[in-house]
Amino acid sequence: MATARNPAELIRPLITPEGVDLRVKLADAGTRASAFLLDVVIIVAAAIAVTLVVIFGLGGLGVKEAEPLFIVWIIFIFLLRNVYFIAFEAGRRAATPGKRIVGVRVASRSGAGLTIDQVIARNLMREIEVFLPLSIIAARGGAGVADTLSTIFGLVWALLFSLFLLFNRDRLRIGDLLAGTWVVETPKLKLVEDLSLRKDPVARRFHFSPAQLDAYGIAELHKLEEVLRRDDYFAMKAVAETIGHKIGAKIEPIDSRTFLTAYYGDLRAHLERKLLLGNRKADKYAR
């Protein structure tokens, strides 16, 4: 059985048609199972809601008149569970609501865009892998003709296909193998803190003249931001002393971080005002 206790073992190269090597991380079996169960819950909830509406809307029909509608209902359930997966995975995000909740999406192993043929192929195989044997078991049970042998056969069939992804290192279902797809993790981008919005009451006592702010440009602003985000005491002390010496401001060691925060906010605002006036300064030497 293929295992991936080390997360790095799930990293794969994904080469785009332009030759760009995009490193992707494959979704593990637990994540894929969670996404699938969430989607099944959504599908079942939708099926129950539609069924209740139909029952209450056609409550006056007899059993004989309702038989054609029962066939229509079976077809509807078949379309619902297949259209659901195909429609969402063919969309721009290439993910069903369940996949989006757990943070994964479908990708083509070729590195090109996911095609509708691949989406249909991988999802129709799910019908054979899981839904078809379970539907037969449910139908035979509902009709009162289920037997132990056929039930065990159906369960083993569904279980073997469901566990197939545990036995290959790329965590592929049969549907993925046929369609040439992967299910990969979608990195969740987290916006970093906007340093200019820091509320430091002590920093308000620092005021910088336009001449002091003109001493540095955009490149220095970015370096200063790196120092603040790193939050290293000695680095901030050294940078604060350098800036203070250059602009003629005396900095107490204990105020280094506060001073840099104040200078960063004012310098950024100063540069942004210049940009609005059409006087962008790439660095302190630009004219």
Side-chain angles (χ1 to χ4, degrees):
M1 181 183 294
T3 59
R5 294 179 180 177
N6 183 359
E9 295 179 9
L10 294 176
I11 304 297
R12 299 288 185 276
L14 184 67
I15 309 299
T16 69
E18 295 79 17
V20 179
D21 185 357
L22 300 176
R23 296 281 164 168
V24 297
K25 183 179 180 183
L26 304 180
D28 58 38
T31 303
R32 294 192 63 168
S34 300
F36 179 67
L37 290 176
L38 286 170
D39 288 325
V40 169
V41 169
I42 295 172
I43 292 172
V44 170
I48 291 174
V50 172
T51 302
L52 290 176
V53 170
V54 172
I55 289 175
F56 284 107
L58 302 175
L61 292 179
V63 176
K64 191 172 183 179
E65 291 83 0
E67 284 183 353
L69 292 177
F70 181 67
I71 297 175
V72 173
W73 182 84
I74 293 176
I75 296 173
F76 167 75
I77 297 299
F78 173 81
L79 293 176
L80 174 64
R81 66 192 185 215
N82 285 283
V83 171
Y84 172 89
F85 286 100
I86 292 172
F88 280 113
E89 291 185 0
R92 186 171 58 86
R93 296 187 177 183
T96 60
K99 287 186 174 65
R100 289 169 58 184
I101 291 173
V102 302
V104 299
R105 60 174 294 169
V106 182
S108 174
R109 297 206 302 276
S110 68
L114 193 64
T115 66
I116 186 64
D117 293 342
Q118 290 176 299
V119 173
I120 292 175
R122 71 186 307 278
N123 285 297
L124 287 185
M125 275 308 298
R126 182 185 286 107
E127 187 69 23
I128 299 174
E129 294 170 19
V130 180
F131 289 130
L132 183 61
L134 295 183
S135 298
I136 292 175
I137 292 173
R140 291 177 64 86
V145 296
D147 58 83
T148 304
L149 183 61
S150 62
T151 301
I152 292 177
F153 178 78
L155 291 175
V156 171
W157 176 287
L159 188 63
L160 285 178
F161 278 108
S162 299
L163 298 180
F164 181 82
L165 52 79
L166 293 177
F167 295 92
N168 64 87
R169 61 187 300 272
D170 285 342
R171 300 292 181 263
L172 301 177
R173 286 177 35 233
I174 297 293
D176 290 315
L177 280 174
L178 295 179
T181 55
W182 268 332
V183 175
V184 300
E185 291 192 359
T186 306
K188 294 182 179 178
L189 300 179
K190 183 180 180 181
L191 294 178
V192 296
E193 174 195 11
D194 187 343
L195 296 179
S196 65
L197 297 180
R198 281 184 175 177
K199 304 297 182 184
D200 189 336
V202 181
R204 294 176 183 171
R205 66 186 172 92
F206 290 101
H207 299 284
F208 305 100
S209 67
Q212 289 176 315
L213 296 174
D214 278 335
Y216 293 101
I218 294 176
E220 289 82 5
L221 180 74
H222 292 164
K223 292 295 183 185
L224 178 55
E225 182 174 347
E226 291 177 11
V227 171
L228 284 169
R229 294 195 187 283
R230 198 161 66 234
D231 201 22
D232 179 88
Y233 171 80
F234 295 102
M236 288 193 295
K237 179 176 179 295
V239 173
E241 289 174 351
T242 300
I243 295 176
H245 177 72
K246 186 176 182 67
I247 66 175
K250 186 177 180 181
I251 312 302
E252 297 295 334
I254 196 171
D255 288 339
S256 296
R257 188 172 187 275
T258 303
F259 169 77
L260 292 179
T261 300
Y263 191 77
Y264 173 85
D266 284 8
L267 177 59
R268 178 172 168 174
H270 183 67
L271 294 173
E272 288 177 349
R273 282 196 296 271
K274 283 193 170 185
L275 181 62
L276 290 175
L277 293 174
N279 186 23
R280 185 171 185 171
K281 187 176 180 181
D283 56 62
K284 62 184 177 183
Y285 302 109
R287 297 182 181 279

